[in-house]
Amino acid sequence: MLPWKRVLRPLTALLLAAAVATVPAATAHASSAPTTGWNDYSCRPSAAHPRPVVLVHGTLGNSVDNWLSLAPYLEDRGYCVFSLDYGQLSGVPVFYGLGPIDKSAEQLSAFVDKVLAATGAAKADLVGHSQGGMMPRYYLRFLGGAAKVNALVGLAPDNHGATLSGLTNLLPYFPGASDLINATTPGLADQIPGSAFLTKLNAGGDTVPGVQYTVISTKYDEVATPWQSQFLSGSDVHNVLLQDLCSLDLSEHVAIGLFDRIAFHEVANALDPAHATATTCASAFS
């Protein structure tokens, strides 16, 4: 058997590589979203869509790459759309969501305040992918976000941890691996099932009163596994499995947030349930 020190480095690299697979390989990046299109602070919510939508990227994502499809999709439907970068590590550009998640939630809190002040809206709606669908729950529960948020929509959120198809279950067999991940990428460590962060987040129930929760999952998810662990429990929760809406949808963890218009249609339904329409395979062309 190889000494653990020789095995530790490849395992850590494999964990990071699996996480990298959750974001697109972009040919061009930006540190903040464009000032035209979405993140337009002159946008004023309409009577039809009175709340701005804040998009929250996933681990190793950023405010641009994660939303190149969904942000225009929502804009075309009349929403004021905003996105932020969070969880930056010093010296690591472009790939965010790696810092301690409780600190990332503080960044989200400040950003929502900024959006509400600019738009004049009383509340916002949040749409997040992966960590971005889970992290806001900390903001809602511990940072006063429930008074400022109407709905949280999670696309493949790792609400109860991300096992990376069981890969994290191997960590106890490699002494020092967990400590290394915690020291170098605390945002990844916080997402490992059983972490102190997740234990605190989920203690006492999944939801807080006054917020509408929607979870949109795919059975082909390879990151936030098992996919059933993404679902929330509570009276104001709507859990959705994409394949129940369209059995032909083959989206996995990346695609559901990046370009799956069937998932996007269900996001639109969650943001405006009074005018929801049936989500089917045909929604890919809507």
Side-chain angles (χ1 to χ4, degrees):
M1 180 180 294
L2 290 173
W4 71 264
K5 288 184 178 179
R6 295 177 60 187
V7 179
L8 173 59
R9 186 167 297 176
L11 175 66
T12 303
L14 185 58
L15 283 168
L16 291 173
V20 169
T22 68
V23 298
T27 58
H29 298 277
S31 61
S32 60
T35 55
T36 57
W38 81 91
N39 271 11
D40 176 5
Y41 286 90
S42 67
C43 186
R44 296 294 177 267
S46 65
H49 301 304
R51 293 175 299 275
V53 177
V54 174
L55 303 177
V56 190
H57 65 73
T59 305
L60 292 167
N62 60 59
S63 61
V64 178
D65 292 346
N66 215 139
W67 307 119
L68 290 173
S69 295
L70 181 57
Y73 181 96
L74 295 176
E75 279 188 292
D76 289 346
R77 284 153 180 78
Y79 289 92
C80 292
V81 181
F82 301 85
S83 63
L84 77 155
D85 291 317
Y86 70 86
Q88 300 93 329
L89 292 181
S90 177
V92 181
V94 178
F95 299 108
Y96 304 136
L98 295 172
I101 297 182
D102 57 347
K103 301 302 180 184
S104 294
E106 293 176 6
Q107 291 179 281
L108 174 62
S109 177
F111 188 79
V112 171
D113 285 349
K114 178 181 177 180
V115 168
L116 294 181
T119 60
K123 290 188 176 184
D125 289 325
L126 307 180
V127 178
H129 180 211
S130 191
Q131 180 190 160
M134 173 271 288
M135 176 269 281
R137 292 178 50 227
Y138 189 95
Y139 162 57
L140 298 177
R141 180 178 292 275
F142 298 109
L143 302 178
K148 303 173 184 179
V149 172
N150 169 71
L152 170 61
V153 184
L155 291 159
D158 54 340
N159 282 314
H160 300 96
T163 69
L164 300 175
S165 296
L167 186 59
T168 60
N169 295 330
L170 300 177
L171 287 173
Y173 297 99
F174 297 91
S178 295
D179 291 340
L180 177 61
I181 295 171
N182 187 66
T184 56
T185 53
L188 294 181
D190 284 345
Q191 295 177 76
I192 296 174
S195 70
F197 173 83
L198 287 172
T199 299
K200 178 180 179 180
L201 176 66
N202 292 314
D206 291 341
T207 64
V208 295
V211 179
Q212 303 295 319
Y213 296 82
T214 299
V215 175
I216 304 171
S217 303
T218 170
K219 68 180 182 181
Y220 300 113
D221 200 304
E222 74 282 22
V223 175
T225 52
W227 61 264
Q228 294 91 338
S229 69
Q230 299 172 21
F231 284 177
L232 297 173
S233 298
S235 59
D236 294 326
V237 173
H238 180 47
N239 293 313
V240 179
L241 180 65
L242 280 180
Q243 285 73 34
D244 288 341
L245 306 177
C246 174
S247 61
L248 301 177
D249 192 324
L250 301 179
S251 292
E252 41 66 72
H253 189 81
V254 177
I256 192 175
L258 267 59
F259 52 77
D260 186 347
R261 291 177 70 91
I262 296 173
F264 293 176
H265 187 272
E266 198 62 16
V267 169
N269 281 346
L271 294 176
D272 188 8
H275 299 95
T277 59
T279 300
T280 67
C281 295
S283 301
F285 307 100
S286 63

